[in-house]
Amino acid sequence: MKAGMRANLVQGVNLTPQLLQSIRLLQLTSQQLEQELQQALERNPLLEQDEPADESDAPAADAASAALETAAWDELPEPSFLAGIAAGGSAGDDDGMARIADAASSDPRVRLLRELALHWKPADLELAAWWLDRCDDRGYLEQPLAELLAEGRAAFPQQADELEVVRQRLLHGDWPGMAAADAGECLSAQLAAQPAGPLRELAACILRDHLALLAAHDEAGLAHALAADAEQVRAAVALILSLRPHPVEAPATDEAHVVPEVVAWFAGGAWRVALNPRTTPKVRIAPHCERALAGGGAGDHAVLKGLLDEARWLVRGLGMRNDTLLRTAQVLVERQRGFLERGDEALAPLTLREVADAIGMHESTVSRIVAGKYIQTPRGTLELKRLFAVRLEGADIGGTAVRAMVKRLIDAEPANAPLADDVIAGLLARQGVRIARRTVAKYRDQLSIGPVRARQRVAARA
C-alpha cells in the first residue's frame, strides 16, 4: 500500500463573526431587531439611538467588502443551523388577508390618518382629520352632511371649497366608504372600486334607485323594476352583499399585535412603497467618539477601536438589511399590482427565484428577508409570504387565484341547485383554467365549504 499526497481545490464560505451578525440582522423581525439593538446599545457606548444612521459614517473603502459579503450571504444554505433565531410566522398559515391591528392605536381613524400622512399634503391632511373626527367608530358621519358642511365652512373659510373634495377623497380612498353620509353612499363607494362592467352598473343602479327593494330581498321586484334577467339581478345582489356594511373592518381578535415593516399605497397613478418609520432602526455611531478615536495611536485605544469596528458593522448591516427589504417589497408590489387592486383572483404566480433575479440576489436571501415580515396595504396587513404563489402545472395562474374562483362560483350558485365539484371544474375550464375535480374538492375543503349534498341540505332547511 502506497502513501501519497493529492491537492484538492474546494470552494467554500468563511463564516466570520461579522457575516453571522449580518445574517442575523437580515432575517430578524421588527420585534426581534428591537431587542437586538437594545442589547447593542447597552453593550457598546459608541452607539446612540437618535437620528437615522448616517451613510457617511462608513468609510468609502468598505463598500467593496460589504458588497462581497452580501454576495456571500447568497451562497449560504438556509439558516436553520443558526441557534437562537426564530424566523417568526408560520409557513403553513395561509390566512394573511385579515387586517392586523396596529399596536400604536386601537382607533381606526388614527390609523387611517397615519396612512394618509405618507402621501397627503398638510392642508388636505388637516381637513381629513376634521372629517374623521366627525365620524363614528364604523366610519359614518355622526351628523347630517349639510350641517357638517356649514360647520366646516365656518371653521375653514379659506378652504371651504375643498371640504367636500377632501371628503370625496376619503370616501373613495384607501378605505372605501370612509366618511359616508349613509349606508347607500358607503356601499356605492366600495362598489366603485370593483372592476367595471355590466354587473357593476346594474348593482349601482340598485343602490341608487331601488334600495328599499334590496332591503326587502325582493329579487323579483328588482328584476321587474330594472327590466333585467333574474340571474343578472341575483348576481348583482350577490356583488352588493359581498361589500362591507361599513368602511371600518372589525379589529383582529388575535391578542398578538403585528406592526408592519413596509407600507404600500397607491398615489399619483402608481404604487408607492416605503419602510415603516416605526420599525426602521435609528442608530448611529456617536460622531464625537469617532473623531476622538481617529487621531489616536494603534495601541492607545485598542479596546475602544474594537468597539468602533463592531458599531460600524452593525450600522452597515442595518443599512443593507433595510435596503434589501425595501427592494424586495418594491418588486413584490410591482408584480402583484393586480392582486392589490382586484383581489385574490388576480394573484399572479411568483417564486423566490423570480424576485431574487429582479433584485440581483440569491433566492435564499429573499427567503430570509421575507420571513416573518408584514406589509400594510389598502387590502389589509399581509405577510410578505402571502404575495408569493405557486404556478399550477400547465397554466399561467396560481393556486390561490383558482381557490378564489372556486369560492366565487360557490357563492353565486343557486340556493336550490348547488354546483358539484365536476361542474365547477367544467366552468373553470371554460375560463381557461383546467383542474381536476379532486383539486376543486381540495380547495373547497380549505375554504371550509361542504360538498354539494351538505349544501343542498342547508338550502332545504332554510
Side-chain angles (χ1 to χ4, degrees):
M1 179 176 178
K2 288 187 177 181
M5 296 179 63
R6 184 172 57 185
N8 288 330
L9 182 63
V10 179
Q11 185 178 11
V13 178
N14 184 21
L15 296 178
T16 65
Q18 294 86 355
L19 181 56
L20 288 173
Q21 180 195 47
S22 298
I23 297 171
R24 285 177 59 84
L25 295 176
L26 186 70
Q27 60 194 11
L28 291 181
T29 64
S30 58
Q31 293 86 353
Q32 294 167 343
L33 183 61
E34 184 178 356
Q35 296 176 1
E36 184 87 4
L37 291 181
Q38 188 59 40
Q39 295 174 3
L41 289 168
E42 294 173 357
R43 184 177 63 249
N44 194 330
L46 303 186
L47 285 171
E48 62 181 17
Q49 186 170 4
D50 188 3
E51 301 295 330
D54 186 357
E55 294 180 359
S56 63
D57 291 340
D62 290 340
S65 61
L68 289 175
E69 283 152 11
T70 302
W73 298 350
D74 299 337
E75 303 305 323
L76 293 175
E78 285 299 317
S80 57
F81 66 92
L82 295 175
I85 302 178
S90 173
D93 184 7
D94 201 38
D95 185 15
M97 289 301 296
R99 181 181 298 277
I100 299 172
D102 191 339
S105 175
S106 59
D107 191 333
R109 292 160 294 194
V110 175
R111 299 202 303 271
L112 176 58
L113 201 60
R114 186 182 300 116
E115 292 180 20
L116 299 180
L118 293 171
H119 52 92
W120 277 40
K121 296 179 181 178
D124 294 340
L125 199 63
E126 183 181 8
L127 294 180
W130 186 87
W131 279 114
L132 293 176
D133 193 41
R134 282 146 184 82
C135 293
D136 59 22
D137 291 338
R138 300 175 305 158
Y140 288 114
L141 296 177
E142 295 179 315
Q143 298 173 245
L145 178 59
E147 294 180 11
L148 289 175
L149 285 172
E151 180 185 340
R153 293 188 187 101
F156 302 95
Q158 304 296 328
Q159 300 170 277
D161 295 338
E162 296 296 321
L163 275 169
E164 180 60 16
V165 173
V166 170
R167 190 182 78 89
Q168 289 295 325
R169 289 179 65 187
L170 288 172
L171 190 66
H172 298 280
D174 293 344
W175 295 12
M178 198 68 187
D182 51 39
E185 191 175 42
C186 172
L187 293 174
S188 296
Q190 294 182 46
L191 188 63
Q194 299 293 320
L199 187 62
R200 191 183 78 172
E201 295 301 322
L202 187 60
C205 185
I206 293 174
L207 289 176
R208 184 177 61 250
D209 302 325
H210 306 287
L211 203 56
L213 291 174
L214 175 65
H217 302 284
D218 188 356
E219 293 185 0
L222 285 171
H224 177 73
L226 295 168
D229 182 75
E231 286 294 329
Q232 293 177 326
V233 170
R234 188 176 294 112
V237 170
L239 175 60
I240 295 173
L241 294 179
S242 70
L243 305 175
R244 296 194 304 271
H246 47 79
V248 177
E249 295 182 5
T253 56
D254 191 359
E255 294 183 358
H257 295 296
V258 176
V259 180
E261 284 83 359
V262 188
V263 179
W265 70 97
F266 188 79
W271 282 93
R272 313 293 177 85
V273 181
L275 296 180
N276 186 350
R278 292 188 57 222
T279 60
T280 302
K282 297 179 180 179
V283 297
R284 68 174 183 179
I285 303 171
H288 62 280
C289 294
E290 190 166 18
R291 286 195 298 269
L293 290 173
D300 295 342
H301 308 289
V303 175
L304 290 178
K305 286 193 173 183
L307 291 174
L308 178 61
D309 290 339
E310 179 184 330
R312 284 173 172 168
W313 275 104
L314 178 62
V315 171
R316 183 166 50 187
L318 287 174
M320 294 162 68
R321 172 192 184 272
N322 293 336
D323 178 68
T324 303
L325 177 59
L326 180 60
R327 289 196 292 147
T328 300
Q330 287 173 332
V331 172
L332 288 173
V333 169
E334 178 185 343
R335 299 289 178 90
Q336 299 296 5
R337 174 172 179 166
F339 162 73
L340 294 175
E341 294 175 353
R342 301 191 299 276
D344 276 0
E345 290 194 29
L347 187 67
L350 187 62
T351 63
L352 291 172
R353 180 179 294 276
E354 290 172 331
V355 176
D357 291 343
I359 66 173
M361 290 188 175
H362 193 270
E363 57 188 289
S364 63
T365 300
V366 177
S367 176
R368 293 185 184 99
I369 200 63
V370 301
K373 313 291 194 312
Y374 289 80
I375 179 170
Q376 182 175 300
T377 74
R379 192 163 287 278
T381 301
L382 322 172
E383 193 172 7
L384 283 174
K385 289 181 180 179
R386 179 73 176 78
L387 299 179
F388 292 91
V390 178
R391 188 186 307 272
L392 289 181
E393 184 177 357
D396 192 23
I397 192 170
T400 302
V402 176
R403 184 172 58 188
M405 292 179 180
V406 171
K407 185 177 186 304
R408 172 173 55 80
L409 291 173
I410 293 177
D411 288 344
E413 68 186 5
N416 58 348
L419 300 176
D421 293 341
D422 54 348
V423 174
I424 294 175
L427 292 174
L428 291 176
R430 293 180 184 178
Q431 302 179 36
V433 179
R434 301 188 179 278
I435 58 174
R437 180 199 58 80
R438 61 180 179 274
T439 306
V440 174
K442 180 186 73 172
Y443 289 145
R444 181 175 46 72
D445 290 340
Q446 291 176 357
L447 293 166
S448 300
I449 298 175
V452 63
R453 291 182 181 178
R455 304 203 300 278
Q456 282 175 337
R457 288 195 295 268
V458 171
R461 286 197 298 268

